[in-house]
Amino acid sequence: MSYLHKFSRICTALNLQYAVRFKHAQLLKNEIQRRHIDKVLIANRGEIACRVMRTAKKLGIRTVAVFSEPDEHAMHVEMADEAYLIGPAPSTQSYLNAAKILEVAKKSNSQAIHPGYGFLSENVEFCEKCAKENVIFIGPPPPAIRDMGIKSTSKAIMSNAGVPIVKGYHGEDQSIEKLQAEAQKIGFPLMIKAVRGGGGKGMRIAMTESEFLSQLESAKRESLKSFGDESMLLEQYITDPRHVEVQVFADMYGNAVHLFERDCSVQRRHQKIIEEAPAPGLSEETRKALGEAAVRAAKAVGYVGAGTVEFILHRTTHDFHFMEMNTRLQVEHPITEMITGTDLVEWQLRIAAGEPLPVTQEEIIRRGHAIECRIYAEEPGAGFLPRAGTLHRLTQPTPEENVRVETGVREGQEVSVHYDPMIAKLVVWGRDRNEALAKTRRKLSEYQVAGLETNVNFLLRLSGASAFVSGDVHTAFIPQHEAELFPQSDKLLSDERAIQATLGYLIKSQNEASTNDSWKGISVTPTAWRPNYNLQKTVMLKFNEKDIKVTVKNENSPKTYTVKVNDGEWLPVEAYIRSTDQGLRLISKLGDKITNVGLMRHEHEVHIYDENGQTVVIVPPPKYQALSGDDAASSANSASSPTPGVLERILVNKGDMVVKGQPLFVVIAMKMEYVVRSPRDGVVAEVASFKQGDAIGKGTQVVLLKEDS
């Protein structure tokens, strides 16, 4: 019997105490009435909507989904008992449309709304409207959301509650002159943060005074777009700290507990990609101090429900300071569930219905170690730019007792430019950190994705990086370990991989078109082999814009070939394809080494999968099949969109003189702002006839400079 199974039995026994505690709490708080919830509307989409529905169904609660036009066939819509269209793709017209969502709640007779995370989850006005409509908002009361959502207010409350804070400016005077003066007082480097921000949006770092104004303006624009507010606070930037957060829970009767800490230090673009619980390397005294500070924070604002108190923690001294409190369920909550044997969504639903906390602090036990990896459609090698498009292939690890795959998309569905590009969350539990890491790497290697680039290979390298394995994590981890996380070897295709890609391509092609004479002699199985037939074929591969020539001879014997890469030696190879429940496998023998790798062919791509992740090799089509036209690729004279997105602003006009590095236009993708700058000094020759709000694709040329004379 596993640790988690034993632990879940303990928690089941503890649930028997609900009735006793509830009766006691009612005697203390007669004015609080238990509220009936038998139908809940989930005001969200994707994996979190699916996650909430699973627990609601377990409790016998009917679920109502809402969806935008492109989400009509989404997983969360199919899982729900009922689903309602609430608007077009832009979130401002759908998932942020508070009036429409409340209208659906009333129409569907839903007693409660679960906001998930993001969107309306920390919108105090929406929470107040729910109360006015007599709809239960599954979250904290409006004053707690307001006080914690306004970072300047939250800092003052925390300071009064004895929670340590970082020095900075949290004032109401938001004039540029005042902010600049306060920045000079605090000193550089300096963190600029949206007062109502979260998720890394509206956040910039000014390393020097000369950068301050441009970074301030950028943060204001992004904050206004994401939160409808451009107020900023300024804080001393602590170089390379750790980001440690504590899960708290409170009920309506003044009880509050913590469920230990999570480490979320390793981030890109100020956003988390891998989290673990508990935080590595902390003493029990530090863990206790963090938990107690978090509970004080929750009680100081009269908190109810699930919340997360985030701290900046010094790498060496482990001194910590309050950063912010997220008044909602966090993306990474499953790792807390894994180490405590709890269902936090069930707690949310029960507490919203008026029940007290099911356990005391002393009854919450921490066991083992859990890790969460966020699987994103993004390009790590291009600054983690998000990607949008169709998931032509999506094979994910099979869930097990200690492995969860939280997802909201299926193969064939779209990752939309309008929403977060997360594909899934992989959550694993181990008896200790080493076991959890080993299991994480094994499960990551089971991902097979085609159609969009993902960060799976990057997560494999990250989870195996020596410093990460040793627990030396901090917020500058990725840039400090760039050489190990982005190795030059990844830009080269080994001869072994070139041979695998070529034989996989040829054998798969023969399987798909066995009557095509151009492929005869390349055997799929012994029955496809033609005796006394010898064929030599040359295949041109492309990998990282480099051409590789592979020549293959079929040696008049089933599954046997002689292969040459570029001008190298001829090598004997045995190879064949086997079909499995997890897809095709290519088994090949080169010398005395036998390899067994995953194989997939998608259009002109060959995908090879093994314990190191995925390798994608291009087999360019013949010239007569190649597409014509300008692909708008970036050059010394053009500025193109680095990602699919929505054109926010064009900052230049035809005929303008520009200098290298000058901002030319701004693109918004997945709620993040990307400023595209001039590749050189020059004169603007053309500006594309787009207008603000137009959708543009990756590589779309927006500004063209005149040729140098």
Side-chain angles (χ1 to χ4, degrees):
M1 184 180 294
S2 71
Y3 279 104
L4 281 184
H5 184 58
K6 292 177 182 176
F7 192 50
S8 66
R9 291 180 63 181
I10 294 171
C11 290
T12 300
L14 289 174
N15 281 341
L16 297 176
Q17 300 176 28
Y18 261 123
V20 174
R21 287 222 174 96
F22 183 71
K23 184 175 181 181
H24 177 64
Q26 285 288 66
L27 293 174
L28 297 175
K29 300 281 185 178
N30 289 325
E31 71 276 13
I32 298 177
Q33 298 296 317
R34 182 167 180 176
R35 302 179 287 187
H36 181 65
I37 300 176
D38 61 20
K39 183 183 281 191
V40 61
L41 182 151
I42 296 91
N44 218 298
R45 64 182 301 279
E47 63 86 15
I48 185 58
C50 298
R51 162 72 186 91
V52 174
M53 287 178 191
R54 281 192 291 273
T55 289
K57 288 176 182 293
K58 180 182 73 175
L59 298 176
I61 299 173
R62 291 179 58 81
T63 58
V64 177
V66 292
F67 63 94
S68 63
E69 290 172 354
D71 277 347
E72 181 175 357
H73 302 292
M75 187 183 293
H76 78 281
V77 174
E78 295 177 0
M79 282 185 65
D81 296 301
E82 304 171 31
Y84 295 82
L85 174 66
I86 53 173
S91 57
T92 52
Q93 301 173 53
S94 52
Y95 296 105
L96 288 172
N97 188 339
K100 184 66 176 178
I101 289 171
L102 270 170
E103 177 188 320
V104 171
K106 301 295 285 186
K107 182 191 301 184
S108 62
N109 295 316
S110 299
Q111 294 95 3
I113 293 177
H114 194 302
Y117 54 74
F119 294 133
L120 295 169
S121 62
E122 296 179 281
N123 186 304
V124 66
E125 290 82 10
F126 179 65
C127 183
E128 290 172 336
K129 287 177 182 176
C130 287
K132 288 179 181 178
E133 295 292 334
N134 200 30
V135 175
I136 299 168
F137 178 83
I138 300 177
I145 299 176
R146 181 180 292 107
D147 290 345
M148 292 296 98
I150 302 173
K151 289 181 170 53
S152 54
T153 303
S154 69
K155 302 282 184 179
I157 294 172
M158 293 303 106
S159 180
N160 291 335
V163 179
I165 64 171
V166 178
K167 74 172 183 177
Y169 174 70
H170 315 126
E172 294 183 5
D173 187 345
Q174 289 287 306
S175 66
I176 298 298
E177 295 76 15
K178 178 64 174 177
L179 292 174
Q180 197 162 18
E182 292 297 331
Q184 291 170 343
K185 289 180 185 177
I186 297 166
F188 295 87
L190 182 80
M191 177 73 79
I192 305 167
K193 298 170 70 174
V195 165
R196 294 181 179 269
K201 299 177 181 68
M203 181 186 296
R204 297 291 185 273
I205 298 170
M207 298 303 294
T208 64
E209 186 174 353
S210 62
E211 297 178 0
F212 177 71
L213 288 179
S214 62
Q215 295 288 58
L216 176 65
E217 290 169 2
S218 180
K220 279 176 168 286
R221 284 196 302 270
E222 192 170 274
S223 177
L224 188 61
K225 190 74 176 178
S226 299
F227 312 112
D229 186 288
E230 61 177 5
S231 300
M232 294 287 134
L233 62 80
L234 310 176
E235 288 182 347
Q236 175 190 17
Y237 179 63
I238 300 175
T239 306
D240 305 344
R242 289 176 63 174
H243 178 141
V244 176
E245 61 187 31
V246 179
Q247 177 72 60
V248 295
F249 241 98
D251 61 22
M252 300 177 187
Y253 310 101
N255 304 308
V257 296
H258 69 81
L259 291 93
F260 308 107
E261 80 285 349
R262 302 183 286 249
D263 194 296
C264 311
S265 298
V266 181
Q267 305 177 9
R268 88 282 185 262
R269 301 199 314 263
H270 304 297
Q271 292 182 315
K272 307 161 189 173
I273 48 173
I274 190 166
E275 303 99 343
E276 57 183 307
L282 299 187
S283 68
E284 289 305 315
E285 291 76 16
T286 300
R287 296 187 202 281
K288 186 172 183 291
L290 280 163
E292 290 174 348
V295 170
R296 287 201 304 274
K299 289 186 173 182
V301 292
Y303 202 79
V304 173
T308 299
V309 184
E310 301 192 352
F311 297 96
I312 292 173
L313 185 136
H314 195 282
R315 285 175 64 186
T316 55
T317 67
H318 293 175
D319 292 337
F320 58 87
H321 299 86
F322 173 82
M323 183 164 58
E324 63 184 8
M325 183 176 188
N326 290 312
T327 55
R328 53 173 166 79
L329 200 65
Q330 292 278 87
V331 176
E332 58 273 19
H333 75 273
I335 54 176
T336 294
E337 294 179 323
M338 294 290 257
I339 66 165
T340 58
T342 55
D343 182 335
L344 299 185
V345 174
E346 179 176 349
W347 283 27
Q348 283 187 298
L349 291 166
R350 290 187 180 278
I351 287 170
E355 296 187 27
L357 283 169
V359 294
T360 64
Q361 187 66 65
E362 294 71 28
E363 292 167 332
I364 301 173
I365 304 168
R366 185 186 79 234
R367 292 184 184 274
H369 201 94
I371 296 172
E372 176 181 280
C373 293
R374 303 190 190 188
I375 312 300
Y376 280 106
E378 65 182 15
E379 192 173 346
F384 298 94
L385 284 174
R387 293 294 174 239
T390 303
L391 289 165
H392 294 291
R393 173 69 177 272
L394 176 61
T395 300
Q396 305 200 68
T398 303
E400 302 170 2
E401 182 180 4
N402 299 327
V403 177
R404 289 166 58 173
V405 178
E406 305 278 352
T407 188
V409 293
R410 296 191 182 96
E411 184 173 296
Q413 293 185 327
E414 294 278 332
V415 175
S416 172
V417 68
H418 295 282
Y419 312 118
D420 188 87
M422 185 190 290
I423 295 171
K425 301 183 311 195
L426 172 66
V427 188
V428 303
W429 180 91
R431 288 169 293 183
D432 55 34
R433 189 170 186 266
N434 287 337
E435 182 180 299
L437 278 171
K439 190 179 296 183
T440 295
R441 291 191 290 271
R442 188 174 76 249
K443 291 300 175 181
L444 282 169
S445 70
E446 295 178 13
Y447 271 93
Q448 296 186 13
V449 185
L452 291 173
E453 184 166 351
T454 74
N455 64 339
V456 170
N457 282 15
F458 176 80
L459 288 168
L460 270 164
R461 289 192 296 270
L462 173 60
S463 59
S466 54
F468 188 88
V469 172
S470 69
D472 183 19
V473 292
H474 52 87
T475 56
F477 188 94
I478 292 175
Q480 284 192 12
H481 297 277
E482 185 174 355
E484 186 175 5
L485 298 176
F486 299 95
Q488 290 299 308
S489 60
D490 271 15
K491 299 179 181 179
L492 303 174
L493 190 68
S494 68
D495 285 358
E496 179 183 69
R497 195 57 107 218
I499 291 170
Q500 290 171 335
T502 302
L503 291 176
Y505 174 77
L506 292 175
I507 296 172
K508 183 70 165 61
S509 298
Q510 171 69 14
N511 198 24
E512 293 173 349
S514 58
T515 60
N516 186 336
D517 286 341
S518 66
W519 300 118
K520 286 181 180 177
I522 303 299
S523 61
V524 184
T525 66
T527 58
W529 165 59
R530 296 181 59 188
N532 304 314
Y533 194 93
N534 187 291
L535 175 73
Q536 177 172 310
K537 186 169 184 64
T538 297
V539 177
M540 296 303 299
L541 307 178
K542 188 175 285 291
F543 184 77
N544 276 334
E545 302 304 318
K546 294 182 177 64
D547 294 324
I548 302 108
K549 182 175 74 171
V550 182
T551 308
V552 181
K553 292 180 183 178
N554 178 240
E555 291 300 333
N556 200 22
S557 176
K559 305 185 292 184
T560 304
Y561 311 89
T562 304
V563 185
K564 179 173 69 171
V565 179
N566 292 323
D567 296 322
E569 298 180 0
W570 286 100
L571 302 170
V573 183
E574 295 179 21
Y576 64 95
I577 290 176
R578 180 165 55 86
S579 181
T580 71
D581 292 340
Q582 286 74 43
L584 296 179
R585 306 292 298 181
L586 174 69
I587 293 88
S588 60
K589 181 181 180 183
L590 177 60
D592 60 358
K593 180 182 179 182
I594 297 176
T595 58
N596 184 337
V597 298
L599 171 71
M600 187 190 64
R601 178 181 167 190
H602 171 65
E603 296 180 347
H604 298 291
E605 297 176 350
V606 178
H607 296 242
I608 302 292
Y609 305 92
D610 64 9
E611 70 277 4
N612 297 312
Q614 172 178 262
T615 302
V616 182
V617 181
I618 307 298
V619 184
K623 289 183 179 179
Y624 67 84
Q625 292 180 357
L627 296 175
S628 61
D630 181 9
D631 66 359
S634 297
S635 72
N637 296 320
S638 70
S640 305
S641 178
T643 180
V646 175
L647 187 63
E648 174 68 9
R649 286 188 302 158
I650 297 177
L651 305 172
V652 294
N653 298 301
K654 183 177 180 179
D656 285 356
M657 295 282 295
V658 296
V659 297
K660 183 177 180 180
Q662 179 177 331
L664 301 178
F665 62 93
V666 180
V667 177
I668 301 291
M670 282 79 172
K671 303 179 184 178
M672 300 295 291
E673 177 183 278
Y674 299 91
V675 179
V676 179
R677 301 174 185 276
S678 177
R680 62 174 175 83
D681 296 354
V683 178
V684 176
E686 298 289 343
V687 177
S689 58
F690 296 115
K691 61 182 183 295
Q692 184 178 10
D694 282 353
I696 58 176
K698 177 188 177 184
T700 300
Q701 181 178 283
V702 178
V703 175
L704 179 68
L705 302 182
K706 286 184 178 179
E707 295 279 354
D708 286 332
S709 56

